[in-house]
Amino acid sequence: MTAADPRAGMRRIAVVGNGGAGKTTLANRLGALLDLPVTHLDALRYTDDWATVDEGTFVDRQRRVVATERWIIDGNSLASLPIRVAAADTVIVVDPPPVVCLWGLLRRRWRYRGGRHPDGVHDRITPAFLRYVWRYRRDHLPGVQACVAEHGGDAEVIHLTSHVRVDLFYEGLAHHLGRGAR
């Protein structure tokens, strides 16, 4: 990559947002477009049999990923967000309305029937998680934004408030790279 290559500024990308917002889908698409390895926080947080790893292990796993030169990490653990944001050159906040996120959860549940998905996402829908999704913009997004402001340094922050904006962002990047949308 050269300095003129737009990928040069997008080598370490943190994708954050609400459950069901489309973080994993965007991360996977960007990984293919930019030729970056993608890590899903759920794959670092849980074992293959759905057991949660201790916080120290979870944090250490993230530190190992962000210590590398090139990565995309998607997920929204606020407690460990400073690790990802401080190392990122780009932070993408995927933030469609709550009803869109709930619809995304339902579609994901229908498609995969729960459990662990092939991309590493764990599908565990509980009443508490549904409340979290519904109240994310009000109760959790301000903390994410404050964390990014505090720890993000010179990272470019891209806030996408709909799936249309996600698609336009992706298509614009693909066009700029001369690859067309995928």
Side-chain angles (χ1 to χ4, degrees):
M1 285 186 266
T2 67
D5 188 335
R7 295 175 296 174
M10 295 182 77
R11 295 178 299 119
R12 296 178 312 279
I13 304 170
V15 181
V16 299
N18 201 354
K23 297 181 302 292
T24 298
T25 300
L26 178 60
N28 288 336
R29 291 175 72 195
L30 288 174
L33 180 68
L34 300 171
D35 192 30
L36 293 173
V38 178
T39 300
H40 308 287
L41 276 189
D42 281 359
L44 303 178
R45 168 61 84 187
Y46 300 102
T47 63
D48 288 339
D49 62 351
W50 251 107
T52 305
V53 301
D54 65 85
E55 194 65 23
T57 299
F58 182 52
V59 166
D60 287 344
R61 289 176 174 180
Q62 288 178 70
R63 288 187 197 282
R64 281 195 297 273
V65 174
V66 302
T68 63
E69 291 185 31
R70 304 172 67 249
W71 47 264
I72 297 175
I73 301 176
D74 86 276
N76 205 50
S77 172
L78 184 56
S80 62
L81 184 59
I83 295 167
R84 299 182 305 282
V85 170
D89 55 48
T90 307
V91 178
I92 301 174
V93 180
V94 184
D95 182 32
V99 69
V100 173
C101 296
L102 291 171
W103 177 246
L105 292 175
L106 291 173
R107 285 185 19 217
R108 185 167 71 197
R109 173 53 64 98
W110 179 256
R111 181 175 181 191
Y112 294 110
R113 306 291 196 262
R116 186 174 186 157
H117 306 176
D119 56 19
V121 174
H122 286 274
D123 188 11
R124 184 182 288 176
I125 298 176
T126 64
F129 184 62
L130 294 174
R131 276 191 303 281
Y132 168 86
V133 169
W134 186 252
R135 298 161 92 172
Y136 179 85
R137 276 186 166 171
R138 183 186 77 195
D139 296 347
H140 303 283
L141 182 59
V144 169
Q145 291 170 316
C147 180
V148 171
E150 181 178 350
H151 300 282
D154 293 330
E156 179 180 4
V157 179
I158 301 165
H159 192 143
L160 304 170
T161 57
S162 71
H163 286 164
V164 169
R165 290 189 181 192
V166 168
D167 289 341
L168 289 172
F169 164 74
Y170 177 84
E171 291 165 8
L173 182 59
H175 176 76
H176 191 76
L177 294 171
R179 296 190 182 179
R182 292 183 193 181

